Amino acid sequence: LAPEEIDKAQKVFQQLKSGHSPSCYESYWQTKEGSRRLISWINTTILDNEGKVQFIIGTGTDVTDQRRTEESLRLAVDAAKMGTWDYDFNTKVTSRSIRHDQLFGYESLLDHWSETEFLRHLHPDDRSSIEKTFFDMAQKGGPCDLEYRVIWPDGSVHWILARGHFYLNREGQAQRMVGVMMDITDYKTANLAKKESEEKFRVMAET
């Protein structure tokens, strides 16, 4: 056990002995070679007939590489200025990054984000098609790429590219939807300007 983790481990053990067990916690351990590994623990207490703790069972999993991968992914997403979201169809709760809400025109995370909030921010001309796509994908699952316009609180319109994945449970019902999104307004504006310029030259060439 890494030296700085000893006090925390002792407190966790005392809580376990008193019956107030933290079901999960993480701590750093030091190998014989001197490297540090992050271990995720799941604790279970077994009580005797009087309700006192008789046994403590702890299962540890090395999550060092997993955490490094998650951190690398987070840095890559931040560098690309992407927002992330994770929607639970059962609880109707959306976990999301601050960049997600910024892409809808907010400086900080809103207290609540729901399907209704999402649809409310969509451009009226895109709302019905996006709603239909979401409904269809929730039935069959799988990856989904979308482009749509959102209206910020200040009234400005912004283009969004979203790439998500719908996960179904064993019964074939939608369980989770996770994805990333980014602002492509500059790209869309430049592409539109290019098409308008090409059209002007075409008209001039034909006259």
Short mmCIF file of all heavy atoms in Angstrom, two decimals, residues 41-87:
data_model
loop_
_atom_site.label_atom_id
_atom_site.label_comp_id
_atom_site.label_asym_id
_atom_site.label_seq_id
_atom_site.Cartn_x
_atom_site.Cartn_y
_atom_site.Cartn_z
N TRP A 41 -11.46 -1.18 -5.27
CA TRP A 41 -11.92 -2.20 -4.32
C TRP A 41 -13.44 -2.22 -4.21
O TRP A 41 -14.09 -1.18 -4.17
CB TRP A 41 -11.33 -1.93 -2.94
CG TRP A 41 -9.85 -2.08 -2.88
CD1 TRP A 41 -8.92 -1.10 -3.04
CD2 TRP A 41 -9.12 -3.29 -2.68
NE1 TRP A 41 -7.65 -1.62 -2.95
CE2 TRP A 41 -7.75 -2.97 -2.72
CE3 TRP A 41 -9.50 -4.62 -2.46
CZ2 TRP A 41 -6.74 -3.92 -2.56
CZ3 TRP A 41 -8.51 -5.57 -2.30
CH2 TRP A 41 -7.15 -5.22 -2.35
N ILE A 42 -13.98 -3.42 -4.15
CA ILE A 42 -15.40 -3.64 -3.84
C ILE A 42 -15.47 -4.44 -2.55
O ILE A 42 -14.91 -5.54 -2.46
CB ILE A 42 -16.12 -4.39 -4.98
CG1 ILE A 42 -16.07 -3.57 -6.27
CG2 ILE A 42 -17.57 -4.69 -4.58
CD1 ILE A 42 -16.72 -4.27 -7.45
N ASN A 43 -16.11 -3.87 -1.54
CA ASN A 43 -16.13 -4.48 -0.21
C ASN A 43 -17.50 -5.06 0.14
O ASN A 43 -18.53 -4.47 -0.18
CB ASN A 43 -15.75 -3.44 0.85
CG ASN A 43 -14.39 -2.82 0.56
OD1 ASN A 43 -13.42 -3.52 0.41
ND2 ASN A 43 -14.36 -1.50 0.48
N THR A 44 -17.47 -6.19 0.79
CA THR A 44 -18.70 -6.83 1.27
C THR A 44 -18.48 -7.29 2.71
O THR A 44 -17.44 -7.87 3.03
CB THR A 44 -19.06 -8.05 0.40
OG1 THR A 44 -19.20 -7.64 -0.95
CG2 THR A 44 -20.38 -8.66 0.86
N THR A 45 -19.44 -7.01 3.58
CA THR A 45 -19.34 -7.46 4.97
C THR A 45 -20.36 -8.57 5.22
O THR A 45 -21.48 -8.54 4.71
CB THR A 45 -19.60 -6.31 5.95
OG1 THR A 45 -20.87 -5.70 5.65
CG2 THR A 45 -18.51 -5.25 5.84
N ILE A 46 -19.94 -9.56 6.00
CA ILE A 46 -20.83 -10.66 6.38
C ILE A 46 -21.06 -10.57 7.88
O ILE A 46 -20.11 -10.52 8.67
CB ILE A 46 -20.21 -12.01 6.01
CG1 ILE A 46 -20.02 -12.09 4.49
CG2 ILE A 46 -21.10 -13.16 6.49
CD1 ILE A 46 -19.36 -13.37 4.03
N LEU A 47 -22.32 -10.53 8.28
CA LEU A 47 -22.69 -10.35 9.68
C LEU A 47 -23.02 -11.68 10.35
O LEU A 47 -23.43 -12.64 9.69
CB LEU A 47 -23.90 -9.41 9.78
CG LEU A 47 -23.79 -8.06 9.04
CD1 LEU A 47 -25.06 -7.26 9.25
CD2 LEU A 47 -22.56 -7.29 9.49
N ASP A 48 -22.84 -11.71 11.67
CA ASP A 48 -23.23 -12.90 12.42
C ASP A 48 -24.69 -12.80 12.83
O ASP A 48 -25.40 -11.86 12.41
CB ASP A 48 -22.32 -13.10 13.64
CG ASP A 48 -22.37 -11.90 14.59
OD1 ASP A 48 -23.34 -11.11 14.51
OD2 ASP A 48 -21.44 -11.76 15.41
N ASN A 49 -25.14 -13.72 13.67
CA ASN A 49 -26.55 -13.74 14.06
C ASN A 49 -26.95 -12.51 14.88
O ASN A 49 -28.13 -12.17 14.97
CB ASN A 49 -26.86 -15.01 14.86
CG ASN A 49 -26.72 -16.26 14.01
OD1 ASN A 49 -26.91 -16.20 12.80
ND2 ASN A 49 -26.38 -17.38 14.64
N GLU A 50 -25.96 -11.86 15.49
CA GLU A 50 -26.25 -10.68 16.31
C GLU A 50 -26.12 -9.38 15.51
O GLU A 50 -26.26 -8.30 16.07
CB GLU A 50 -25.31 -10.66 17.52
CG GLU A 50 -25.50 -11.86 18.45
CD GLU A 50 -24.53 -11.81 19.62
OE1 GLU A 50 -23.68 -10.87 19.64
OE2 GLU A 50 -24.62 -12.68 20.51
N GLY A 51 -25.85 -9.51 14.23
CA GLY A 51 -25.75 -8.32 13.39
C GLY A 51 -24.38 -7.66 13.43
O GLY A 51 -24.23 -6.54 12.94
N LYS A 52 -23.41 -8.35 14.01
CA LYS A 52 -22.05 -7.81 14.06
C LYS A 52 -21.23 -8.32 12.89
O LYS A 52 -21.47 -9.42 12.38
CB LYS A 52 -21.37 -8.19 15.37
CG LYS A 52 -22.06 -7.63 16.61
CD LYS A 52 -21.33 -8.06 17.88
CE LYS A 52 -22.01 -7.50 19.12
NZ LYS A 52 -21.32 -7.92 20.37
N VAL A 53 -20.26 -7.52 12.48
CA VAL A 53 -19.42 -7.90 11.35
C VAL A 53 -18.54 -9.08 11.73
O VAL A 53 -17.79 -9.03 12.70
CB VAL A 53 -18.54 -6.72 10.88
CG1 VAL A 53 -17.60 -7.17 9.77
CG2 VAL A 53 -19.41 -5.56 10.41
N GLN A 54 -18.67 -10.14 10.94
CA GLN A 54 -17.89 -11.34 11.21
C GLN A 54 -16.74 -11.50 10.20
O GLN A 54 -15.63 -11.87 10.55
CB GLN A 54 -18.78 -12.58 11.16
CG GLN A 54 -18.09 -13.86 11.59
CD GLN A 54 -19.06 -15.02 11.68
OE1 GLN A 54 -20.15 -14.98 11.10
NE2 GLN A 54 -18.68 -16.06 12.42
N PHE A 55 -17.06 -11.21 8.95
CA PHE A 55 -16.05 -11.30 7.90
C PHE A 55 -16.12 -10.06 7.01
O PHE A 55 -17.18 -9.46 6.83
CB PHE A 55 -16.27 -12.54 7.02
CG PHE A 55 -16.16 -13.84 7.75
CD1 PHE A 55 -17.31 -14.53 8.11
CD2 PHE A 55 -14.93 -14.36 8.09
CE1 PHE A 55 -17.23 -15.73 8.78
CE2 PHE A 55 -14.83 -15.56 8.77
CZ PHE A 55 -15.99 -16.24 9.12
N ILE A 56 -14.99 -9.69 6.46
CA ILE A 56 -14.90 -8.60 5.48
C ILE A 56 -14.26 -9.18 4.23
O ILE A 56 -13.15 -9.72 4.28
CB ILE A 56 -14.06 -7.42 5.99
CG1 ILE A 56 -14.69 -6.83 7.26
CG2 ILE A 56 -13.92 -6.35 4.91
CD1 ILE A 56 -13.83 -5.75 7.90
N ILE A 57 -14.96 -9.08 3.13
CA ILE A 57 -14.45 -9.60 1.86
C ILE A 57 -14.19 -8.42 0.92
O ILE A 57 -15.09 -7.62 0.64
CB ILE A 57 -15.44 -10.58 1.22
CG1 ILE A 57 -15.70 -11.76 2.16
CG2 ILE A 57 -14.91 -11.07 -0.13
CD1 ILE A 57 -16.76 -12.72 1.64
N GLY A 58 -12.97 -8.30 0.47
CA GLY A 58 -12.62 -7.23 -0.45
C GLY A 58 -12.08 -7.78 -1.75
O GLY A 58 -11.23 -8.68 -1.75
N THR A 59 -12.59 -7.29 -2.86
CA THR A 59 -12.13 -7.72 -4.18
C THR A 59 -11.49 -6.52 -4.89
O THR A 59 -12.14 -5.48 -5.08
CB THR A 59 -13.28 -8.25 -5.04
OG1 THR A 59 -13.92 -9.32 -4.35
CG2 THR A 59 -12.77 -8.73 -6.39
N GLY A 60 -10.21 -6.68 -5.23
CA GLY A 60 -9.49 -5.58 -5.86
C GLY A 60 -9.23 -5.83 -7.34
O GLY A 60 -8.90 -6.94 -7.74
N THR A 61 -9.40 -4.77 -8.15
CA THR A 61 -9.15 -4.85 -9.59
C THR A 61 -8.19 -3.74 -9.98
O THR A 61 -8.40 -2.57 -9.64
CB THR A 61 -10.45 -4.70 -10.39
OG1 THR A 61 -11.38 -5.70 -9.98
CG2 THR A 61 -10.19 -4.84 -11.89
N ASP A 62 -7.14 -4.09 -10.71
CA ASP A 62 -6.16 -3.11 -11.17
C ASP A 62 -6.79 -2.30 -12.31
O ASP A 62 -7.09 -2.84 -13.38
CB ASP A 62 -4.90 -3.82 -11.66
CG ASP A 62 -3.76 -2.85 -11.93
OD1 ASP A 62 -4.03 -1.71 -12.33
OD2 ASP A 62 -2.59 -3.24 -11.75
N VAL A 63 -7.00 -1.01 -12.08
CA VAL A 63 -7.63 -0.14 -13.09
C VAL A 63 -6.66 0.93 -13.58
O VAL A 63 -7.08 1.93 -14.16
CB VAL A 63 -8.91 0.51 -12.53
CG1 VAL A 63 -9.96 -0.53 -12.21
CG2 VAL A 63 -8.60 1.35 -11.29
N THR A 64 -5.37 0.73 -13.36
CA THR A 64 -4.37 1.73 -13.73
C THR A 64 -4.44 2.05 -15.22
O THR A 64 -4.52 3.22 -15.62
CB THR A 64 -2.96 1.24 -13.38
OG1 THR A 64 -2.93 0.84 -12.01
CG2 THR A 64 -1.94 2.35 -13.60
N ASP A 65 -4.36 1.01 -16.06
CA ASP A 65 -4.37 1.23 -17.51
C ASP A 65 -5.69 1.82 -17.97
O ASP A 65 -5.72 2.67 -18.88
CB ASP A 65 -4.11 -0.10 -18.24
CG ASP A 65 -2.71 -0.63 -17.97
OD1 ASP A 65 -1.82 0.17 -17.62
OD2 ASP A 65 -2.51 -1.86 -18.09
N GLN A 66 -6.79 1.40 -17.35
CA GLN A 66 -8.10 1.92 -17.71
C GLN A 66 -8.17 3.42 -17.43
O GLN A 66 -8.66 4.19 -18.25
CB GLN A 66 -9.19 1.20 -16.92
CG GLN A 66 -10.60 1.73 -17.18
CD GLN A 66 -11.64 1.05 -16.31
OE1 GLN A 66 -11.45 -0.08 -15.86
NE2 GLN A 66 -12.75 1.72 -16.07
N ARG A 67 -7.67 3.85 -16.25
CA ARG A 67 -7.71 5.26 -15.90
C ARG A 67 -6.81 6.08 -16.83
O ARG A 67 -7.15 7.20 -17.20
CB ARG A 67 -7.27 5.46 -14.46
CG ARG A 67 -8.25 4.94 -13.43
CD ARG A 67 -9.54 5.75 -13.43
NE ARG A 67 -10.46 5.27 -12.42
CZ ARG A 67 -11.36 4.33 -12.62
NH1 ARG A 67 -11.48 3.79 -13.82
NH2 ARG A 67 -12.16 3.92 -11.64
N ARG A 68 -5.67 5.51 -17.22
CA ARG A 68 -4.79 6.21 -18.15
C ARG A 68 -5.46 6.39 -19.51
O ARG A 68 -5.35 7.44 -20.14
CB ARG A 68 -3.48 5.44 -18.30
CG ARG A 68 -2.57 5.51 -17.08
CD ARG A 68 -1.38 4.59 -17.23
NE ARG A 68 -0.49 4.67 -16.07
CZ ARG A 68 0.50 3.83 -15.85
NH1 ARG A 68 0.75 2.84 -16.71
NH2 ARG A 68 1.26 3.97 -14.77
N THR A 69 -6.14 5.35 -19.95
CA THR A 69 -6.87 5.44 -21.22
C THR A 69 -7.97 6.48 -21.15
O THR A 69 -8.16 7.28 -22.08
CB THR A 69 -7.47 4.07 -21.58
OG1 THR A 69 -6.42 3.10 -21.70
CG2 THR A 69 -8.23 4.14 -22.90
N GLU A 70 -8.70 6.49 -20.03
CA GLU A 70 -9.77 7.47 -19.85
C GLU A 70 -9.22 8.89 -19.85
O GLU A 70 -9.82 9.80 -20.42
CB GLU A 70 -10.52 7.18 -18.55
CG GLU A 70 -11.34 5.90 -18.58
CD GLU A 70 -11.93 5.57 -17.22
OE1 GLU A 70 -11.56 6.25 -16.23
OE2 GLU A 70 -12.74 4.63 -17.14
N GLU A 71 -8.06 9.08 -19.20
CA GLU A 71 -7.46 10.40 -19.15
C GLU A 71 -6.98 10.84 -20.53
O GLU A 71 -7.16 12.00 -20.92
CB GLU A 71 -6.28 10.40 -18.16
CG GLU A 71 -5.54 11.72 -18.05
CD GLU A 71 -6.39 12.85 -17.50
OE1 GLU A 71 -7.49 12.58 -16.98
OE2 GLU A 71 -5.95 14.02 -17.60
N SER A 72 -6.39 9.91 -21.28
CA SER A 72 -5.94 10.23 -22.64
C SER A 72 -7.12 10.61 -23.52
O SER A 72 -7.05 11.55 -24.31
CB SER A 72 -5.19 9.04 -23.24
OG SER A 72 -4.02 8.75 -22.51
N LEU A 73 -8.22 9.87 -23.36
CA LEU A 73 -9.42 10.15 -24.14
C LEU A 73 -9.98 11.51 -23.76
O LEU A 73 -10.40 12.29 -24.63
CB LEU A 73 -10.46 9.06 -23.91
CG LEU A 73 -11.80 9.24 -24.65
CD1 LEU A 73 -11.58 9.30 -26.15
CD2 LEU A 73 -12.74 8.09 -24.30
N ARG A 74 -9.99 11.82 -22.46
CA ARG A 74 -10.51 13.11 -22.01
C ARG A 74 -9.69 14.26 -22.58
O ARG A 74 -10.24 15.27 -23.02
CB ARG A 74 -10.50 13.17 -20.48
CG ARG A 74 -11.16 14.43 -19.92
CD ARG A 74 -10.90 14.55 -18.43
NE ARG A 74 -9.49 14.78 -18.12
CZ ARG A 74 -8.89 15.95 -18.25
NH1 ARG A 74 -9.55 17.01 -18.70
NH2 ARG A 74 -7.62 16.06 -17.95
N LEU A 75 -8.37 14.10 -22.58
CA LEU A 75 -7.50 15.14 -23.12
C LEU A 75 -7.74 15.32 -24.62
O LEU A 75 -7.73 16.45 -25.12
CB LEU A 75 -6.04 14.78 -22.86
CG LEU A 75 -5.59 14.83 -21.40
CD1 LEU A 75 -4.17 14.30 -21.26
CD2 LEU A 75 -5.68 16.25 -20.85
N ALA A 76 -7.93 14.20 -25.33
CA ALA A 76 -8.18 14.28 -26.77
C ALA A 76 -9.51 14.98 -27.06
O ALA A 76 -9.61 15.81 -27.97
CB ALA A 76 -8.19 12.87 -27.38
N VAL A 77 -10.53 14.65 -26.26
CA VAL A 77 -11.83 15.28 -26.43
C VAL A 77 -11.76 16.77 -26.12
O VAL A 77 -12.32 17.60 -26.84
CB VAL A 77 -12.88 14.59 -25.52
CG1 VAL A 77 -14.17 15.40 -25.48
CG2 VAL A 77 -13.17 13.18 -26.03
N ASP A 78 -11.04 17.13 -25.05
CA ASP A 78 -10.89 18.54 -24.69
C ASP A 78 -10.15 19.30 -25.78
O ASP A 78 -10.51 20.44 -26.12
CB ASP A 78 -10.15 18.67 -23.36
CG ASP A 78 -11.00 18.23 -22.17
OD1 ASP A 78 -12.23 18.09 -22.35
OD2 ASP A 78 -10.44 18.02 -21.08
N ALA A 79 -9.09 18.68 -26.32
CA ALA A 79 -8.30 19.34 -27.36
C ALA A 79 -9.12 19.59 -28.61
O ALA A 79 -8.94 20.61 -29.30
CB ALA A 79 -7.07 18.50 -27.69
N ALA A 80 -10.04 18.68 -28.91
CA ALA A 80 -10.89 18.83 -30.09
C ALA A 80 -12.12 19.69 -29.81
O ALA A 80 -12.95 19.88 -30.69
CB ALA A 80 -11.33 17.45 -30.58
N LYS A 81 -12.22 20.19 -28.57
CA LYS A 81 -13.36 21.02 -28.15
C LYS A 81 -14.69 20.29 -28.36
O LYS A 81 -15.66 20.87 -28.83
CB LYS A 81 -13.36 22.35 -28.89
CG LYS A 81 -12.14 23.21 -28.59
CD LYS A 81 -12.22 24.56 -29.30
CE LYS A 81 -11.01 25.43 -28.95
NZ LYS A 81 -11.04 26.75 -29.63
N MET A 82 -14.69 19.01 -28.00
CA MET A 82 -15.90 18.20 -28.12
C MET A 82 -16.65 18.13 -26.80
O MET A 82 -16.05 18.16 -25.73
CB MET A 82 -15.54 16.77 -28.56
CG MET A 82 -15.04 16.64 -29.97
SD MET A 82 -14.73 14.90 -30.39
CE MET A 82 -14.22 15.06 -32.11
N GLY A 83 -17.94 18.03 -26.90
CA GLY A 83 -18.77 17.80 -25.73
C GLY A 83 -19.15 16.32 -25.68
O GLY A 83 -19.21 15.66 -26.72
N THR A 84 -19.38 15.80 -24.50
CA THR A 84 -19.77 14.40 -24.35
C THR A 84 -21.06 14.30 -23.56
O THR A 84 -21.37 15.16 -22.73
CB THR A 84 -18.67 13.59 -23.63
OG1 THR A 84 -18.47 14.14 -22.31
CG2 THR A 84 -17.36 13.66 -24.41
N TRP A 85 -21.81 13.23 -23.82
CA TRP A 85 -23.03 12.99 -23.04
C TRP A 85 -23.25 11.49 -22.88
O TRP A 85 -22.77 10.68 -23.66
CB TRP A 85 -24.24 13.64 -23.71
CG TRP A 85 -24.83 12.84 -24.83
CD1 TRP A 85 -25.78 11.87 -24.74
CD2 TRP A 85 -24.49 12.92 -26.22
NE1 TRP A 85 -26.06 11.34 -25.99
CE2 TRP A 85 -25.28 11.98 -26.91
CE3 TRP A 85 -23.61 13.71 -26.96
CZ2 TRP A 85 -25.21 11.79 -28.28
CZ3 TRP A 85 -23.52 13.53 -28.32
CH2 TRP A 85 -24.31 12.59 -28.98
N ASP A 86 -24.01 11.15 -21.85
CA ASP A 86 -24.36 9.76 -21.55
C ASP A 86 -25.77 9.78 -20.97
O ASP A 86 -25.98 10.20 -19.83
CB ASP A 86 -23.36 9.16 -20.56
CG ASP A 86 -23.58 7.67 -20.33
OD1 ASP A 86 -24.71 7.20 -20.54
OD2 ASP A 86 -22.62 6.98 -19.95
N TYR A 87 -26.73 9.33 -21.77
CA TYR A 87 -28.15 9.38 -21.36
C TYR A 87 -28.64 8.00 -20.95
O TYR A 87 -28.45 7.02 -21.66
CB TYR A 87 -29.00 9.90 -22.52
CG TYR A 87 -30.49 9.93 -22.23
CD1 TYR A 87 -31.02 10.84 -21.33
CD2 TYR A 87 -31.36 9.05 -22.87
CE1 TYR A 87 -32.38 10.88 -21.06
CE2 TYR A 87 -32.72 9.08 -22.61
CZ TYR A 87 -33.23 9.99 -21.70
OH TYR A 87 -34.58 10.01 -21.44
#
